[in-house]
Structures are given as structure tokens and as C-alpha cells.
Amino acid sequence: MSVWGTESWEGEEEEMLEKFRIDRNHITKDTVITVLSGAGISAESGIPTFRGSGGLWGDESLARIATPYGFAEDPERGWRFYDDRRKNMASAKPNPAHLILAELEEMGYDIVIITQNVDRLHQRAGSKKVIELHGTVWEFRCMNSRCELKPFENYEVPLSAIPPICEKCGNYLRPNVVFFEEPLELVDIQAADSRTKKTDLFLVVGTSGIVYPAAAYAQIAKFNGAYVVEFNIEKTPLSPFCDLSVLGPCGEMLPSFIREAICAGEK
Ligand code: BJW
């Protein structure tokens, strides 16, 4: 039997689920459910996380690539990094954590996913309401901010030309992701803000909770009265803002939690 641990709760899975049913015994299809997901949700699909053992940012030179100046100083190196990751993501499959969230939406629950992930595994699992807070590696845009080229999709794996060139202005293209110190798209921030503020149940799945503004959504949800549940293999800086921290691999814990605690009455 798994142990579900929080500062306020150490016990067996069945007891925790019972507590959750008591706390949240009014979950219906009108309940506003929002998920904040991070790299940990895709870890069991074979996509490396950024931090922690084996994380991409363990190599400081790779972390520098995900900055505007780091990418611009050597676009070829930057594109080799992103081409390798695109290859890995293209061969990865959504895991049970992605699939259960898509299943909830399919069942008619009011669920929106705010993801920091750039891999599009939520969409490949079938989720339709996804806010890509940090963009996606499956879109390109021009590095020249004055170029009129709009971001466009590209699924070529591996890329035939590195770095790819903008057809409109001849400059290099870049992945349409949000590097450190770059602003997020206003439309995404507004959508995530308004959704979070009206959320009843907020699930924080597989994020270290240290990158802002994404991490703030768990806190905003809590301050606006949501019931906040975290799923992670370890405690995070967001744990104090959570009503429950469910410790363990989210590919196992999230489906178990959702089946038992949210849609226990469904066939
Ligand atoms: C499991 C599991 C399993 C494992 N089951 N769990 C100075 C200037 C400007 C800004 C700043 C500044 N100083 C600080 C900032 C803010 C900065 C920030 O937050 N920095 C902190 C690191 C300190 N934020 C930004 O820069 C953001 N922009 C911004 O603030 O703009 C302001 C601005 C306004 C106006 C003008 C200009 C600027 C942008 C942040 C962009 C983040 N980009 C990246 C790269 C995306 C592209 C790419 O993929 O290459 O996004 S960095 C990386 O971190 C990626 C992720 O989305 C993000 C979050 O990481 P995540 O998802 O939490 O992953 P990990 O690896 O950290 O954690 C994984 C978790 O899973 C762990 O907890 C594990 O335990 C767990 N786990 N296996 C469950 N099986």
C-alpha cells in the first residue's frame, strides 16, 4: 500500500482518499478543475526533467542555451540541443498521468491544464484545453523581432537544416519556447490568471515550483479558495500552499487519485 504524505497527513492510501472525499464531497461536472503541470509529468514517458539528478540543467552550458543571449551566441549549438530533445519527445508516448487528465475532459469534467511543458504530450493524450505557458518546441518563430513571420508549426524530426532559416527575412529561426528572462505571452498569462482565480480544485503535478510566474498559480489558487493537491516524488517549495501533497510517481498516483477521489461514482 502506498503512503501518501503531507505535513498534516501520513497514512494509508484508502484513509487519505476517505479524507479527501470528506473535504471535497461535492465534486461534480460543474467543479472547476485546473492542473499546473511540469516536467515531472513527462518523466515517466522518458523525457528528462530540468533539475535534480539526471536533469538537463545539471549541465550549466545547457541551461545557458535556454536564455536569449545563450541561444543567440551559438544558434547551431542551440538547435542541436533542441533537435535532440525533439527526437526524444517525438518517440515518447503520453503516460497514464497525461491520459487520465484527457479522460476527465472527455468525461465532461470542466478541466483546463496550464502546462510548463513544451512537449505537447497533453495534447497527444487527447487534452484540448491546454495553456502552453512556456510555448512549445513544435513551433518555430524568427529570431529577428522585427520580422513579420508568425510562429508556425514544424514537426520535422530530425531537422534537415540546422539552424533553420526564416524564409521571409533570411535570419535564423528559433523554437517558440519561453527562455529565462523572457516574458510569457500575455494571452497565456491572462488565460491562466482568470482560470486559476475561479478554480475549485487545483492539481499541481510534477513541477519543482521554483520557476515564476508559473509557480505563483498554485499560490493564487490557494489564496482564492481552491483546494490544492500536489503530486510529486518529493516535497517542493509549493508544498506549504497545498492542502495535500501526494508523494510518489504521478503516473501511478494521479490516476489512482482521480479514479477514487474525483470520479468514483462514474462507471
Ligand atoms: C516527478 C516525477 C514523477 C520527477 N512524478 N513528479 C531575472 C530577470 C528576469 C526574470 C527573472 C530573473 N530572476 C528570476 C527571474 C524569474 C525567472 C525564474 O523564475 N527564475 C527562477 C529559476 C529563479 N522566470 C523567468 O525568467 C520567466 N520569465 C519572466 O519572469 O519574465 C519576466 C519579464 C517580464 C518582462 C520582460 C522581460 C521579462 C520565464 C521562465 C521560462 C522558463 N523556461 C524553461 C525552458 C523552456 C524551454 C525549454 O524547455 O527548453 O522552462 S526553464 C525550465 O523550467 C522549463 C520548465 O518549464 C521550467 C519549470 O521546470 P519544471 O517543469 O518544474 O521542471 P523541474 O525539472 O524543475 O522539476 C521537475 C519536478 O518533477 C521535480 O519537482 C521532481 O521532483 C518532479 N518529478 N519525476 C512526479 N515521476
Side-chain angles (χ1 to χ4, degrees), residues 2 4 45 148:
S2 316
W4 303 61
S45 295
E148 286 174 0

Side-chain angles (χ1 to χ4, degrees), residues 7-74:
E7 251 137 40
S8 59
W9 181 262
E10 288 288 341
E12 296 298 316
E13 181 173 334
E14 278 309 308
E15 292 168 351
M16 192 289 301
L17 292 170
E18 194 53 41
K19 174 181 185 291
F20 185 80
R21 282 196 200 98
I22 292 163
D23 284 342
R24 298 292 308 177
N25 57 359
H26 295 303
I27 292 186
T28 68
K29 292 195 172 153
D30 293 326
T31 304
V32 179
I33 305 172
T34 305
V35 179
L36 172 68
S37 68
I41 198 170
S42 295
E44 289 159 70
S45 295
I47 299 177
T49 59
F50 296 95
R51 299 168 185 85
S53 94
L56 290 172
W57 292 173
D59 179 341
E60 277 181 28
S61 67
L62 295 184
R64 188 172 167 82
I65 290 175
T67 63
Y69 35 90
F71 191 87
E73 74 192 7
D74 191 347

Side-chain angles (χ1 to χ4, degrees), residues 37-41 43-44 49-52 57 66 81-82 85 89 116-118 134 137 177-184 205-213 231-236 248-251:
S37 68
I41 198 170
E44 289 159 70
T49 59
F50 296 95
R51 299 168 185 85
W57 292 173
F81 172 66
Y82 280 97
R85 288 176 62 205
M89 288 172 191
Q116 298 168 82
N117 297 346
V118 296
H134 293 164
V137 296
V177 298
V178 182
F179 291 144
F180 275 118
E181 299 178 28
E182 284 186 327
L184 283 65
V205 187
T207 178
S208 56
I210 64 168
V211 174
Y212 283 78
F231 297 82
N232 203 302
I233 50 175
E234 60 188 21
K235 291 276 184 81
T236 74
C250 61

